[in-house]
Amino acid sequence: MTVNALAQEVTVLSAEDSVQLKGATEKLAYERGDFLPIKYKNPKKAALLSAILPGLGQAYNEKYWKIPILYGGAAGIVFFIDFNDNRYQLFRQALFAEIDDDETTINPFPNLNEQGLRRNVDYWRRNRDLLYVVSFVVYVFNIVDANVDAHLSSFDLSDDLSLRFEPTNQTFALNNQNYPAISLKLYFK
């Protein structure tokens, strides 16, 4: 449809024609090397996906290399939780063997008295519980990482950034005099 108004010709495109024109224009510009299309990511969606299944937000953001690091860290934490829990259970059973009045139960650590066994039980339990806190922190970090990465997906990394030294005048508060100075300015597109 064409409308003539004050000797100007304005063409109104339907929604379908507009999408086709935009796609053809982007394809032509991409083939010429003018720009790379920016893929905008939804930060809320990335955070929600990471909350549902850790690593899913990183996959949504196309940062696949972070997923093995995340799961490797989680596997390490699970291993150490199990190790600390086993040691805690071992010293706990030894403490019960030491403090009960039954002569048939034997303390597997004859060099440790009741106080030493209690210290070991507390030590291994504290380490195990601390690792539960660390696992929660890693889980939250996974969500925050996905959210921040989605926010930064549209950050401009073009060559139009510049850093310049420029002369300026600086006023000092002590004597209210202007002095020549050099400023460092970062210009964005």
Side-chain angles (χ1 to χ4, degrees), residues 86-113:
N86 288 339
R87 299 297 287 184
Y88 164 68
Q89 295 297 334
L90 180 67
F91 280 102
R92 187 170 172 248
Q93 289 172 356
L95 178 62
F96 288 146
E98 179 71 25
I99 61 175
D100 71 355
D101 292 332
D102 189 6
E103 295 292 329
T104 60
T105 56
I106 300 172
N107 178 4
F109 301 102
N111 294 338
L112 293 176
N113 60 8

mmCIF file of all heavy atoms in Angstrom, residues 86-113:
data_model
loop_
_atom_site.group_PDB
_atom_site.id
_atom_site.type_symbol
_atom_site.label_atom_id
_atom_site.label_comp_id
_atom_site.label_asym_id
_atom_site.label_seq_id
_atom_site.Cartn_x
_atom_site.Cartn_y
_atom_site.Cartn_z
ATOM 1 N N ASN A 86 32.084 -40.853 56.299
ATOM 2 C CA ASN A 86 32.626 -42.164 56.690
ATOM 3 C C ASN A 86 33.563 -42.040 57.889
ATOM 4 O O ASN A 86 33.507 -42.855 58.822
ATOM 5 C CB ASN A 86 33.340 -42.831 55.523
ATOM 6 C CG ASN A 86 32.388 -43.318 54.458
ATOM 7 O OD1 ASN A 86 31.202 -43.512 54.724
ATOM 8 N ND2 ASN A 86 32.890 -43.501 53.254
ATOM 9 N N ARG A 87 34.433 -41.040 57.858
ATOM 10 C CA ARG A 87 35.354 -40.834 58.995
ATOM 11 C C ARG A 87 34.583 -40.448 60.257
ATOM 12 O O ARG A 87 34.902 -40.901 61.353
ATOM 13 C CB ARG A 87 36.386 -39.744 58.664
ATOM 14 C CG ARG A 87 37.274 -40.047 57.484
ATOM 15 C CD ARG A 87 38.132 -41.235 57.707
ATOM 16 N NE ARG A 87 39.185 -40.904 58.664
ATOM 17 C CZ ARG A 87 40.146 -41.728 59.015
ATOM 18 N NH1 ARG A 87 40.201 -42.931 58.507
ATOM 19 N NH2 ARG A 87 41.049 -41.360 59.881
ATOM 20 N N TYR A 88 33.552 -39.626 60.103
ATOM 21 C CA TYR A 88 32.714 -39.240 61.237
ATOM 22 C C TYR A 88 32.045 -40.468 61.852
ATOM 23 O O TYR A 88 32.054 -40.652 63.080
ATOM 24 C CB TYR A 88 31.661 -38.214 60.771
ATOM 25 C CG TYR A 88 30.506 -38.026 61.717
ATOM 26 C CD1 TYR A 88 30.672 -37.437 62.957
ATOM 27 C CD2 TYR A 88 29.230 -38.454 61.360
ATOM 28 C CE1 TYR A 88 29.603 -37.268 63.822
ATOM 29 C CE2 TYR A 88 28.158 -38.282 62.209
ATOM 30 C CZ TYR A 88 28.353 -37.695 63.449
ATOM 31 O OH TYR A 88 27.293 -37.533 64.297
ATOM 32 N N GLN A 89 31.467 -41.327 61.013
ATOM 33 C CA GLN A 89 30.798 -42.533 61.510
ATOM 34 C C GLN A 89 31.795 -43.476 62.195
ATOM 35 O O GLN A 89 31.479 -44.078 63.228
ATOM 36 C CB GLN A 89 30.082 -43.266 60.358
ATOM 37 C CG GLN A 89 28.943 -42.508 59.728
ATOM 38 C CD GLN A 89 27.797 -42.235 60.691
ATOM 39 O OE1 GLN A 89 27.578 -42.948 61.659
ATOM 40 N NE2 GLN A 89 27.064 -41.170 60.419
ATOM 41 N N LEU A 90 33.001 -43.585 61.639
ATOM 42 C CA LEU A 90 34.024 -44.456 62.224
ATOM 43 C C LEU A 90 34.417 -43.985 63.619
ATOM 44 O O LEU A 90 34.455 -44.790 64.570
ATOM 45 C CB LEU A 90 35.250 -44.494 61.302
ATOM 46 C CG LEU A 90 36.424 -45.348 61.739
ATOM 47 C CD1 LEU A 90 36.037 -46.825 61.706
ATOM 48 C CD2 LEU A 90 37.615 -45.081 60.839
ATOM 49 N N PHE A 91 34.693 -42.710 63.779
ATOM 50 C CA PHE A 91 35.081 -42.192 65.091
ATOM 51 C C PHE A 91 33.903 -42.158 66.057
ATOM 52 O O PHE A 91 34.084 -42.311 67.262
ATOM 53 C CB PHE A 91 35.718 -40.801 64.959
ATOM 54 C CG PHE A 91 37.151 -40.867 64.529
ATOM 55 C CD1 PHE A 91 37.515 -40.608 63.219
ATOM 56 C CD2 PHE A 91 38.143 -41.213 65.437
ATOM 57 C CE1 PHE A 91 38.831 -40.682 62.827
ATOM 58 C CE2 PHE A 91 39.462 -41.289 65.045
ATOM 59 C CZ PHE A 91 39.814 -41.025 63.735
ATOM 60 N N ARG A 92 32.706 -41.982 65.541
ATOM 61 C CA ARG A 92 31.516 -42.021 66.395
ATOM 62 C C ARG A 92 31.315 -43.412 66.981
ATOM 63 O O ARG A 92 31.036 -43.565 68.181
ATOM 64 C CB ARG A 92 30.304 -41.590 65.556
ATOM 65 C CG ARG A 92 29.040 -41.423 66.332
ATOM 66 C CD ARG A 92 27.992 -40.757 65.438
ATOM 67 N NE ARG A 92 26.723 -40.764 66.112
ATOM 68 C CZ ARG A 92 25.659 -41.466 65.746
ATOM 69 N NH1 ARG A 92 25.720 -42.213 64.659
ATOM 70 N NH2 ARG A 92 24.548 -41.418 66.421
ATOM 71 N N GLN A 93 31.464 -44.434 66.155
ATOM 72 C CA GLN A 93 31.345 -45.812 66.654
ATOM 73 C C GLN A 93 32.456 -46.127 67.656
ATOM 74 O O GLN A 93 32.229 -46.815 68.660
ATOM 75 C CB GLN A 93 31.372 -46.803 65.492
ATOM 76 C CG GLN A 93 30.124 -46.762 64.648
ATOM 77 C CD GLN A 93 30.246 -47.606 63.389
ATOM 78 O OE1 GLN A 93 31.290 -48.178 63.092
ATOM 79 N NE2 GLN A 93 29.162 -47.675 62.630
ATOM 80 N N ALA A 94 33.663 -45.612 67.385
ATOM 81 C CA ALA A 94 34.773 -45.831 68.322
ATOM 82 C C ALA A 94 34.482 -45.134 69.646
ATOM 83 O O ALA A 94 34.811 -45.671 70.718
ATOM 84 C CB ALA A 94 36.077 -45.316 67.716
ATOM 85 N N LEU A 95 33.877 -43.945 69.608
ATOM 86 C CA LEU A 95 33.528 -43.238 70.841
ATOM 87 C C LEU A 95 32.486 -44.020 71.636
ATOM 88 O O LEU A 95 32.607 -44.165 72.854
ATOM 89 C CB LEU A 95 33.003 -41.835 70.519
ATOM 90 C CG LEU A 95 32.554 -40.988 71.714
ATOM 91 C CD1 LEU A 95 33.719 -40.726 72.658
ATOM 92 C CD2 LEU A 95 31.937 -39.689 71.232
ATOM 93 N N PHE A 96 31.479 -44.544 70.945
ATOM 94 C CA PHE A 96 30.475 -45.362 71.650
ATOM 95 C C PHE A 96 31.107 -46.616 72.254
ATOM 96 O O PHE A 96 30.744 -47.034 73.353
ATOM 97 C CB PHE A 96 29.326 -45.741 70.719
ATOM 98 C CG PHE A 96 28.417 -44.597 70.377
ATOM 99 C CD1 PHE A 96 27.811 -44.515 69.134
ATOM 100 C CD2 PHE A 96 28.151 -43.589 71.295
ATOM 101 C CE1 PHE A 96 26.971 -43.459 68.809
ATOM 102 C CE2 PHE A 96 27.305 -42.529 70.986
ATOM 103 C CZ PHE A 96 26.716 -42.462 69.738
ATOM 104 N N ALA A 97 32.052 -47.203 71.552
ATOM 105 C CA ALA A 97 32.733 -48.389 72.085
ATOM 106 C C ALA A 97 33.566 -48.024 73.314
ATOM 107 O O ALA A 97 33.702 -48.826 74.237
ATOM 108 C CB ALA A 97 33.623 -49.012 71.015
ATOM 109 N N GLU A 98 34.087 -46.814 73.325
ATOM 110 C CA GLU A 98 34.922 -46.378 74.449
ATOM 111 C C GLU A 98 34.081 -46.060 75.678
ATOM 112 O O GLU A 98 34.481 -46.360 76.798
ATOM 113 C CB GLU A 98 35.737 -45.149 74.029
ATOM 114 C CG GLU A 98 36.635 -44.581 75.103
ATOM 115 C CD GLU A 98 37.824 -45.469 75.409
ATOM 116 O OE1 GLU A 98 38.243 -46.251 74.553
ATOM 117 O OE2 GLU A 98 38.343 -45.361 76.541
ATOM 118 N N ILE A 99 32.911 -45.435 75.493
ATOM 119 C CA ILE A 99 32.162 -44.963 76.663
ATOM 120 C C ILE A 99 31.131 -45.958 77.173
ATOM 121 O O ILE A 99 30.583 -45.757 78.250
ATOM 122 C CB ILE A 99 31.478 -43.605 76.378
ATOM 123 C CG1 ILE A 99 30.466 -43.702 75.236
ATOM 124 C CG2 ILE A 99 32.505 -42.537 76.093
ATOM 125 C CD1 ILE A 99 29.679 -42.427 74.994
ATOM 126 N N ASP A 100 30.835 -47.023 76.404
ATOM 127 C CA ASP A 100 29.872 -47.983 76.961
ATOM 128 C C ASP A 100 30.569 -48.857 78.012
ATOM 129 O O ASP A 100 31.789 -48.952 78.068
ATOM 130 C CB ASP A 100 29.209 -48.821 75.867
ATOM 131 C CG ASP A 100 30.140 -49.828 75.231
ATOM 132 O OD1 ASP A 100 31.332 -49.841 75.560
ATOM 133 O OD2 ASP A 100 29.672 -50.604 74.375
ATOM 134 N N ASP A 101 29.813 -49.489 78.832
ATOM 135 C CA ASP A 101 30.375 -50.299 79.920
ATOM 136 C C ASP A 101 30.542 -51.760 79.526
ATOM 137 O O ASP A 101 30.836 -52.606 80.382
ATOM 138 C CB ASP A 101 29.472 -50.193 81.156
ATOM 139 C CG ASP A 101 29.515 -48.801 81.754
ATOM 140 O OD1 ASP A 101 30.560 -48.137 81.596
ATOM 141 O OD2 ASP A 101 28.517 -48.375 82.367
ATOM 142 N N ASP A 102 30.397 -52.054 78.257
ATOM 143 C CA ASP A 102 30.522 -53.429 77.783
ATOM 144 C C ASP A 102 31.994 -53.734 77.511
ATOM 145 O O ASP A 102 32.668 -53.024 76.767
ATOM 146 C CB ASP A 102 29.681 -53.600 76.512
ATOM 147 C CG ASP A 102 29.562 -55.043 76.071
ATOM 148 O OD1 ASP A 102 30.031 -55.936 76.805
ATOM 149 O OD2 ASP A 102 28.983 -55.264 74.992
ATOM 150 N N GLU A 103 32.503 -54.799 78.095
ATOM 151 C CA GLU A 103 33.910 -55.175 77.932
ATOM 152 C C GLU A 103 34.177 -55.831 76.580
ATOM 153 O O GLU A 103 35.330 -55.908 76.149
ATOM 154 C CB GLU A 103 34.317 -56.142 79.064
ATOM 155 C CG GLU A 103 34.278 -55.508 80.437
ATOM 156 C CD GLU A 103 35.360 -54.453 80.604
ATOM 157 O OE1 GLU A 103 36.435 -54.590 79.980
ATOM 158 O OE2 GLU A 103 35.133 -53.486 81.334
ATOM 159 N N THR A 104 33.131 -56.308 75.906
ATOM 160 C CA THR A 104 33.338 -57.023 74.643
ATOM 161 C C THR A 104 33.553 -56.073 73.473
ATOM 162 O O THR A 104 34.082 -56.490 72.441
ATOM 163 C CB THR A 104 32.132 -57.931 74.330
ATOM 164 O OG1 THR A 104 30.956 -57.131 74.225
ATOM 165 C CG2 THR A 104 31.959 -58.985 75.416
ATOM 166 N N THR A 105 33.112 -54.793 73.592
ATOM 167 C CA THR A 105 33.350 -53.835 72.505
ATOM 168 C C THR A 105 34.735 -53.238 72.685
ATOM 169 O O THR A 105 35.142 -52.853 73.782
ATOM 170 C CB THR A 105 32.296 -52.715 72.505
ATOM 171 O OG1 THR A 105 32.281 -52.072 73.770
ATOM 172 C CG2 THR A 105 30.925 -53.267 72.173
ATOM 173 N N ILE A 106 35.468 -53.161 71.590
ATOM 174 C CA ILE A 106 36.854 -52.701 71.624
ATOM 175 C C ILE A 106 36.975 -51.426 70.781
ATOM 176 O O ILE A 106 36.479 -51.361 69.653
ATOM 177 C CB ILE A 106 37.803 -53.782 71.080
ATOM 178 C CG1 ILE A 106 37.688 -55.054 71.927
ATOM 179 C CG2 ILE A 106 39.238 -53.294 71.045
ATOM 180 C CD1 ILE A 106 38.430 -56.231 71.353
ATOM 181 N N ASN A 107 37.658 -50.456 71.334
ATOM 182 C CA ASN A 107 37.944 -49.214 70.630
ATOM 183 C C ASN A 107 38.982 -49.503 69.539
ATOM 184 O O ASN A 107 40.081 -49.948 69.844
ATOM 185 C CB ASN A 107 38.462 -48.172 71.633
ATOM 186 C CG ASN A 107 38.836 -46.867 70.964
ATOM 187 O OD1 ASN A 107 38.659 -46.681 69.777
ATOM 188 N ND2 ASN A 107 39.361 -45.953 71.762
ATOM 189 N N PRO A 108 38.664 -49.244 68.247
ATOM 190 C CA PRO A 108 39.639 -49.525 67.188
ATOM 191 C C PRO A 108 40.821 -48.546 67.182
ATOM 192 O O PRO A 108 41.788 -48.766 66.456
ATOM 193 C CB PRO A 108 38.816 -49.419 65.905
ATOM 194 C CG PRO A 108 37.630 -48.611 66.252
ATOM 195 C CD PRO A 108 37.385 -48.802 67.708
ATOM 196 N N PHE A 109 40.750 -47.508 67.983
ATOM 197 C CA PHE A 109 41.844 -46.536 68.091
ATOM 198 C C PHE A 109 42.360 -46.554 69.536
ATOM 199 O O PHE A 109 41.997 -45.681 70.339
ATOM 200 C CB PHE A 109 41.357 -45.127 67.708
ATOM 201 C CG PHE A 109 40.808 -45.030 66.318
ATOM 202 C CD1 PHE A 109 39.433 -44.999 66.102
ATOM 203 C CD2 PHE A 109 41.639 -44.982 65.219
ATOM 204 C CE1 PHE A 109 38.910 -44.925 64.834
ATOM 205 C CE2 PHE A 109 41.125 -44.906 63.942
ATOM 206 C CZ PHE A 109 39.752 -44.879 63.739
ATOM 207 N N PRO A 110 43.220 -47.505 69.869
ATOM 208 C CA PRO A 110 43.646 -47.632 71.270
ATOM 209 C C PRO A 110 44.486 -46.452 71.753
ATOM 210 O O PRO A 110 44.582 -46.221 72.963
ATOM 211 C CB PRO A 110 44.461 -48.932 71.280
ATOM 212 C CG PRO A 110 44.857 -49.170 69.870
ATOM 213 C CD PRO A 110 43.829 -48.518 69.016
ATOM 214 N N ASN A 111 45.055 -45.673 70.852
ATOM 215 C CA ASN A 111 45.879 -44.531 71.262
ATOM 216 C C ASN A 111 45.047 -43.294 71.588
ATOM 217 O O ASN A 111 45.589 -42.304 72.079
ATOM 218 C CB ASN A 111 46.882 -44.183 70.169
ATOM 219 C CG ASN A 111 47.899 -45.273 69.955
ATOM 220 O OD1 ASN A 111 48.137 -46.099 70.849
ATOM 221 N ND2 ASN A 111 48.500 -45.309 68.782
ATOM 222 N N LEU A 112 43.757 -43.322 71.292
ATOM 223 C CA LEU A 112 42.899 -42.163 71.554
ATOM 224 C C LEU A 112 41.991 -42.455 72.741
ATOM 225 O O LEU A 112 41.318 -43.476 72.786
ATOM 226 C CB LEU A 112 42.046 -41.846 70.335
ATOM 227 C CG LEU A 112 42.772 -41.337 69.091
ATOM 228 C CD1 LEU A 112 41.806 -41.161 67.939
ATOM 229 C CD2 LEU A 112 43.489 -40.034 69.375
ATOM 230 N N ASN A 113 41.982 -41.529 73.680
ATOM 231 C CA ASN A 113 41.059 -41.657 74.805
ATOM 232 C C ASN A 113 39.714 -41.031 74.425
ATOM 233 O O ASN A 113 39.502 -40.620 73.275
ATOM 234 C CB ASN A 113 41.650 -41.009 76.067
ATOM 235 C CG ASN A 113 41.936 -39.534 75.870
ATOM 236 O OD1 ASN A 113 41.572 -38.956 74.856
ATOM 237 N ND2 ASN A 113 42.587 -38.934 76.854
#
